């Protein structure tokens, strides 16, 4: 494993290990696929938060040390935009695996991002990765960590995990509880609409002699209620009651109505888990930012740029064997959201009379 640390003896490496079971922290799903279905596929807040960050990283203007390297990183492979796909994998799963595919001459032909839930690390006796297992249903493949020349054949980019040496930690686990609450609140609202958008009442049978409805009478009455009076289409429809029956309306208490605030709080927690300012998701009541421009600038500074640096740095380290001095970064001068910061920097540098022209050019990042 030369690319893990050149010039370092194998025996000097500490042993690595995987984390144990995560355990149950709530009544929401703990598996990755179930969390993806609940969050990204079924929750609008989580999906929009992931798309804001991933599409921001994928659409960021880039600069590279070589045109061929820039074309390789920005090219589509199998229909996927590499940087955006890797960013989404890191946010959701915490791990991104990029396979380096070479041509007959040994050069890099393309980069392809593998689905992280299909990949598992194959460690050696000390726990260091020597290969990766990729499985789709009954089909599996073993991908070596290095090629014959000692260059990486697969780049593993992972988020920080405090208790696991092999796998990174995504944002889905932290957002799972808030997603479950938000989805439950949405189902609650749907149920209210299905029941005339108001709390259910009660049919009281009181003939005065203490008798009760027979079983067949109860079932018939229940079926008639569901068929003739439940649902939004039957809202406000008058009810005809037989002798001994009376309608007693019920209302929600303020404590019962608190689910509205609970849903809003859950939406804010989802946005927090993915590092997106709630204002950009249209959540009401957020006053942490003066305007959308400030919130958008915070999104770039605190979420998009750090994630882009992690991804591009990992790819450059993996491709260093083919591109000497490989370097790819975000061209901050072309990021529209950061134009005000750039203007402020230029004004400060221009007003610094004690700097020479060469020092001013260096201060603003010009050669």
């Amino acid at each position: 494993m030369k690319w893990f640390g050149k010039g370092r003896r194998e025996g000097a490496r500490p042993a690595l290990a995987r984390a144990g079971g995560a355990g149950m922290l709530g009544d929401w799903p703990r598996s990755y696929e179930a969390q993806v279905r609940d969050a990204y596929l079924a929750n609008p807040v989580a999906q929009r938060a992931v798309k804001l960050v991933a599409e921001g990283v994928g659409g960021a203007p880039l600069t590279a040390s070589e045109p061929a390297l820039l074309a390789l990183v920005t090219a589509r492979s199998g229909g996927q935009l590499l940087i955006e796909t890797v960013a989404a994998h890191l946010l959701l799963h915490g791990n991104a695996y990029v396979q380096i595919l070479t041509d007959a001459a040994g050069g890099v032909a393309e980069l392809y991002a593998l689905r992280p839930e299909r990949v598992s690390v194959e460690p050696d006796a000390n726990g260091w990765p020597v290969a990766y297992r990729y499985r789709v249903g009954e089909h599996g493949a073993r991908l070596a960590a290095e090629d014959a020349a000692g260059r990486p054949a697969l780049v593993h980019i992972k988020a920080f995990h405090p208790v696991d040496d092999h796998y990174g930690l995504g944002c889905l686990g932290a957002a799972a509880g808030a997603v479950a609450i938000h989805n439950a609140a949405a189902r609650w609202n749907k149920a209210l609409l299905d029941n005339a958008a108001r709390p259910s009442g009660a049919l009281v049978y009181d003939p005065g002699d203490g008798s009760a409805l027979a079983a067949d009478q109860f079932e018939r009455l229940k079926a008639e209620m569901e068929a003739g009076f439940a649902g939004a289409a039957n809202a406000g429809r008058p009810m005809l009651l037989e002798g001994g029956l009376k309608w007693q309306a019920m209302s929600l208490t303020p404590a019962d109505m608190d689910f509205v605030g609970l849903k809003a709080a859950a939406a804010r927690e989802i946005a927090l888990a993915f590092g997106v300012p709630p204002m950009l998701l249209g959540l009401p009541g957020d006053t942490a930012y003066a305007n959308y421009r400030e919130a958008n600038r915070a999104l770039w500074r605190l979420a998009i740029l750090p994630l882009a640096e992690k991804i591009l740095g990992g790819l450059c380290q993996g491709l260093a064997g083919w591109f000497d001095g490989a370097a790819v970064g975000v061209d901050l001068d072309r990021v529209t959201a950061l134009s005000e910061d750039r203007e402020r920097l230029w004004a400060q540098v221009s007003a610094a009379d004690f700097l020479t022209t060469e020092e001013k050019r260096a201060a603003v990042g010009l050669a």
Side-chain angles (χ1 to χ4, degrees):
M1 301 295 293
K2 301 175 184 177
W3 61 286
F4 276 108
K6 295 182 180 180
R8 182 180 298 175
R9 295 180 301 170
E10 295 290 333
R13 290 179 178 161
L16 302 183
R18 294 184 57 182
M24 293 294 294
L25 299 179
D27 296 330
W28 43 86
R30 304 305 300 169
S31 69
Y32 173 71
E33 292 189 8
Q35 289 180 352
V36 166
R37 293 191 200 99
D38 286 351
Y40 193 82
L41 301 184
N43 189 275
V45 178
Q47 183 182 109
R48 183 55 182 160
V50 173
K51 281 190 173 183
L52 273 177
V53 179
E55 292 178 355
V57 174
L62 303 179
T63 179
S65 56
E66 298 183 32
L69 177 60
L70 181 61
L72 182 66
V73 171
T74 56
R76 291 182 180 270
S77 179
Q80 65 175 221
L81 187 61
L82 177 69
I83 304 299
E84 180 180 333
T85 304
V86 171
H89 287 169
L90 280 175
L91 287 171
L92 295 171
H93 193 274
N95 299 272
Y97 302 90
V98 180
Q99 187 179 13
I100 302 177
L101 303 175
T102 57
D103 53 22
V108 181
E110 62 177 326
L111 304 175
Y112 186 76
L114 305 174
R115 280 178 49 176
E117 77 275 13
R118 295 176 174 175
V119 181
S120 59
V121 176
E122 181 181 311
D124 58 12
N126 289 328
W128 287 85
V130 294
Y132 297 87
R133 294 284 182 177
Y134 183 79
R135 179 167 295 278
V136 181
E138 299 297 327
H139 304 280
R142 185 179 186 271
L143 307 176
E146 295 180 346
D147 59 13
R151 298 173 298 192
L154 187 145
V155 178
H156 180 192
I157 306 172
K158 61 182 180 180
F160 172 70
H161 196 311
V163 294
D164 199 310
D165 294 326
H166 290 157
Y167 300 101
L169 181 64
C171 302
L172 273 183
V179 168
I181 294 173
H182 196 271
N183 289 344
R187 289 191 294 268
W188 174 279
N189 288 342
K190 176 62 166 57
L192 282 181
L193 289 176
D194 290 341
N195 291 279
R198 62 171 178 260
S200 301
L203 272 181
V204 180
Y205 178 65
D206 186 13
D209 57 1
S211 61
L213 288 173
D216 57 340
Q217 292 176 318
F218 179 81
E219 293 298 331
R220 179 180 64 86
L221 185 60
K222 180 179 177 182
E224 290 178 356
M225 287 286 296
E226 292 178 351
F229 302 100
N234 296 319
R237 184 176 181 179
M239 182 180 296
L240 180 61
L241 301 178
E242 301 180 27
L245 289 175
K246 65 178 181 179
W247 175 258
Q248 180 177 337
M250 294 188 296
S251 61
L252 288 176
T253 65
D256 295 328
M257 293 296 294
D258 192 51
F259 76 93
V260 178
L262 188 64
K263 182 180 179 182
R268 295 171 63 85
E269 289 183 8
I270 295 172
L272 176 65
F274 291 102
V276 176
M279 176 181 286
L280 298 180
L281 299 177
L283 300 178
D286 186 80
T287 57
Y289 300 95
N291 50 48
Y292 276 89
R293 287 189 302 175
E294 184 180 344
N296 194 34
R297 186 161 58 248
L299 174 68
W300 274 86
R301 288 294 187 188
L302 301 178
I304 295 179
L305 291 181
L307 186 60
E309 183 180 357
K310 178 190 292 290
I311 294 172
L312 297 175
L315 292 177
C316 289
Q317 184 177 355
L319 296 172
W322 290 272
F323 298 91
D324 189 23
V328 181
V330 178
D331 189 354
L332 300 180
D333 291 340
R334 294 158 55 196
V335 177
T336 306
L338 304 179
S339 59
E340 292 184 5
D341 294 348
R342 197 66 180 175
E343 292 175 1
R344 189 180 303 111
L345 175 62
W346 279 71
Q348 292 174 349
V349 172
S350 299
D353 297 334
F354 56 89
L355 295 177
T356 64
T357 303
E358 290 75 12
E359 290 173 336
K360 290 182 179 180
R361 292 175 60 87
V364 297
L366 299 177

